[in-house]
């Protein structure tokens, strides 16, 4: 039951330039690592040993795209204990740790989520980050068990969408009305797009 940092303003520490890991949770539970600036360490920013902090799972980040207010919208999910509230903290970094699981150079915000009966919860949070930075996150349960850092997610411009339509040509009868369906397939999966349905449209090419 130790706390490194905290949630109050100014509570975070600078933990940097260690030859090994930044914070090692060797054993026990209730070890909170919150709002610290952890970077440039020789190994992982936070590492669990011997089931320390019950090996609390880290969040999984899925995207980090620009929002509408000079911010970055970070999405992701957490798979952990069912029906439990978690504090998710986010950090920006100049680059990713070579391990792929980042450190946390600058604390940029947090959110609270609650898992469902299957232990799953999703989140989408607007954060003060910039294109080119690398985003990471931690999860802390009600018992104060903080996870390791998540895998890195680079803040980037979403790729241009490429669509395939089928059918591209539909035949309608001359009288009355007719409903038809066009299937839209996104050819590049990592693409931000919005679909609108129930739109009425017709192109008359002859007659």
């Amino acid at each position: 039951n130790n706390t490194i940092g905290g949630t109050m303003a100014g509570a975070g520490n600078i933990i940097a330039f260690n030859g090994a890991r930044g914070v090692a949770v060797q054993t026990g539970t209730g070890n909170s690592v919150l709002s610290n600036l952890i970077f440039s360490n020789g190994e992982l920013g936070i590492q669990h040993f011997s089931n320390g902090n019950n090996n609390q799972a880290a969040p999984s980040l899925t995207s980090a795209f620009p929002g509408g207010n000079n911010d970055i919208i970070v999405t992701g999910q957490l798979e952990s204990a069912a029906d439990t509230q978690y504090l998710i903290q986010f950090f920006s970094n100049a680059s990713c740790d070579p391990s792929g699981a980042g450190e946390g150079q600058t604390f940029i915000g947090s959110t609270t989520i609650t898992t469902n009966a299957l232990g799953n919860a999703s989140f989408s949070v607007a954060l003060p980050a910039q294109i080119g930075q690398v985003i990471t996150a931690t999860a802390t349960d009600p018992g104060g068990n903080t996870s390791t850092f998540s895998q890195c997610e680079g803040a980037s411009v979403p790729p241009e969408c490429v669509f395939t339509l089928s059918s591209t040509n539909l035949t309608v009868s001359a009288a009355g009305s007719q409903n038809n369906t066009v299937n839209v397939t996104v050819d590049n999966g990592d693409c931000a797009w919005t679909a609108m349905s129930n739109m009425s449209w017709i192109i008359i090419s002859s007659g």
Side-chain angles (χ1 to χ4, degrees):
N1 294 304
N2 301 291
T3 299
I4 301 174
T7 56
M8 300 295 290
N13 304 282
I14 297 176
I15 303 173
F17 308 114
N18 294 289
R21 59 205 60 85
V23 176
V25 182
Q26 296 283 4
T27 187
T29 58
N31 299 292
S32 301
V33 186
L34 298 169
S35 310
N36 300 288
L37 314 184
I38 302 176
F39 61 96
S40 297
N41 296 291
E43 297 180 17
L44 295 177
I46 302 173
Q47 188 169 6
H48 295 162
F49 295 89
S50 302
N51 202 37
N53 276 2
N54 294 326
N55 284 332
Q56 170 60 49
S60 175
L61 305 183
T62 54
S63 68
F65 294 146
N69 297 299
N70 294 319
D71 52 17
I72 296 293
I73 307 298
V74 176
T75 63
Q77 60 271 333
L78 177 68
E79 297 181 6
S80 196
D83 301 316
T84 302
Q85 188 177 83
Y86 289 88
L87 174 66
I88 310 297
Q89 289 199 323
F90 300 92
F91 303 82
S92 64
N93 304 267
S95 60
C96 187
D97 187 87
S99 68
E103 296 189 73
Q105 187 170 7
T106 303
F107 172 59
I108 56 174
S110 64
T111 191
T112 300
I113 60 174
T114 300
T115 56
N116 60 20
L118 298 177
N120 301 320
S122 299
F123 51 83
S124 178
V125 185
L127 298 167
Q130 298 178 350
I131 296 295
Q133 292 181 326
V134 172
I135 311 301
T136 56
T138 60
T140 302
D141 71 9
N145 297 291
T146 299
S147 71
T148 60
F149 284 105
S150 69
Q151 294 287 304
C152 301
E153 182 66 31
S156 60
V157 177
E160 182 176 339
C161 297
V162 179
F163 300 98
T164 299
L165 302 179
S166 64
S167 301
T168 56
N169 295 288
L170 297 172
T171 301
V172 298
S173 60
S177 62
Q178 182 176 338
N179 294 323
N180 289 287
T181 300
V182 175
N183 296 316
V184 180
T185 302
V186 182
D187 295 336
N188 51 334
D190 193 17
C191 171
W193 64 290
T194 301
M196 292 186 296
S197 61
N198 299 321
M199 299 297 292
S200 299
W201 52 272
I202 187 168
I203 297 175
I204 300 174
S205 58
S206 63

